[in-house]
């Protein structure tokens, strides 16, 4: 497998939604960039993927610092898989700064499609799907939710 960054979608709630290609990529990757290592290691255990990998946290609070570390791994010939806790990475999840930096460095970046809560919600909504806008997920807290709707 070519060294670079592989953006890998993970199941939203049903392990059967994990594509064989995504599972093979996770098996082949030596470095796993993830939001929460506990969540990702549990997924690996359920998929029967060994934990003999380097797990690197990548979240909103450390993306700037971790991006260089991940870029260095890639430049040293590593295959890095980026996952979120559930669904498609970068959809209301961290990662765009890393992708931008990889692009600036001319590094290989690709994505493996899969589950995306946004698309699933749109498909089930009964709304027209030829045009839509996503402004982020609605907050759980009442005040934050009201503020969002006011804006």
């Amino acid at each position: 497998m070519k060294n670079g960054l592989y953006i890998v979608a993970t199941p939203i709630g049903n392990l059967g939604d994990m594509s064989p290609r995504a599972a093979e990529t996770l098996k082949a990757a030596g470095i796993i960039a993830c939001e929460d290592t506990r969540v990702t290691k549990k997924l690996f255990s359920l998929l029967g993927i060994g934990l003999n990998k380097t797990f690197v946290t990548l979240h909103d609070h450390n993306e700037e610092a971790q991006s260089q570390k991940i870029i260095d791994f890639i430049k040293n010939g590593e295959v890095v898989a980026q996952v979120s806790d559930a669904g498609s990475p970068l959809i209301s999840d961290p990662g765009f700064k890393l992708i931008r930096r990889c692009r600036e460095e001319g590094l290989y970046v690709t994505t493996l499609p899969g589950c995306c809560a946004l698309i699933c919600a749109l498909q089930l909504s009964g709304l027209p799907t030829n045009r839509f806008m996503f402004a982020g997920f609605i907050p759980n807290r009442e005040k934050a939710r009201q503020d969002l709707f006011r804006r």
Side-chain angles (χ1 to χ4, degrees), residues 34 36-43:
C34 56
D36 186 331
T37 58
R38 296 167 297 183
V39 172
T40 302
K41 287 178 179 180
K42 181 178 179 182
L43 173 65

Side-chain angles (χ1 to χ4, degrees), residues 22-66:
E24 287 302 315
T25 299
L26 295 179
K27 286 178 190 174
I31 312 295
I32 308 299
C34 56
E35 291 177 89
D36 186 331
T37 58
R38 296 167 297 183
V39 172
T40 302
K41 287 178 179 180
K42 181 178 179 182
L43 173 65
F44 275 50
S45 293
L46 291 169
L47 293 170
I49 300 173
L51 299 177
N52 56 338
K53 300 172 181 302
T54 301
F55 290 84
V56 177
T57 58
L58 182 73
H59 48 70
D60 287 333
H61 306 292
N62 73 0
E63 187 174 357
E64 290 284 340
Q66 293 294 68

Side-chain angles (χ1 to χ4, degrees), residues 14-146:
N14 186 324
L15 194 59
D17 291 337
M18 187 75 178
S19 78
R21 180 176 169 224
E24 287 302 315
T25 299
L26 295 179
K27 286 178 190 174
I31 312 295
I32 308 299
C34 56
E35 291 177 89
D36 186 331
T37 58
R38 296 167 297 183
V39 172
T40 302
K41 287 178 179 180
K42 181 178 179 182
L43 173 65
F44 275 50
S45 293
L46 291 169
L47 293 170
I49 300 173
L51 299 177
N52 56 338
K53 300 172 181 302
T54 301
F55 290 84
V56 177
T57 58
L58 182 73
H59 48 70
D60 287 333
H61 306 292
N62 73 0
E63 187 174 357
E64 290 284 340
Q66 293 294 68
S67 290
Q68 187 59 53
K69 183 183 213 178
I70 293 167
I71 286 168
D72 290 343
F73 281 130
I74 296 168
K75 286 182 174 181
N76 287 324
E78 294 285 352
V79 171
V80 178
Q82 179 186 353
V83 298
S84 62
D85 288 346
S88 294
L90 289 104
I91 305 301
S92 282
D93 286 332
F96 81 90
K97 294 173 188 172
L98 171 61
I99 304 303
R100 186 181 324 157
R101 295 269 318 275
C102 286
R103 294 272 181 224
E104 290 169 357
E105 300 271 346
L107 300 174
Y108 179 75
V109 177
T110 192
T111 186
L112 286 75
C115 298
C116 176
L118 167 66
I119 299 303
C120 291
L122 183 61
Q123 291 166 326
L124 292 172
S125 71
L127 297 171
T129 57
N130 58 324
R131 183 175 167 186
F132 68 94
M133 182 183 87
F134 177 63
F137 291 106
I138 297 171
N140 290 330
R141 294 191 181 128
E142 182 69 25
K143 179 169 178 2
R145 192 170 39 248
Q146 288 174 0

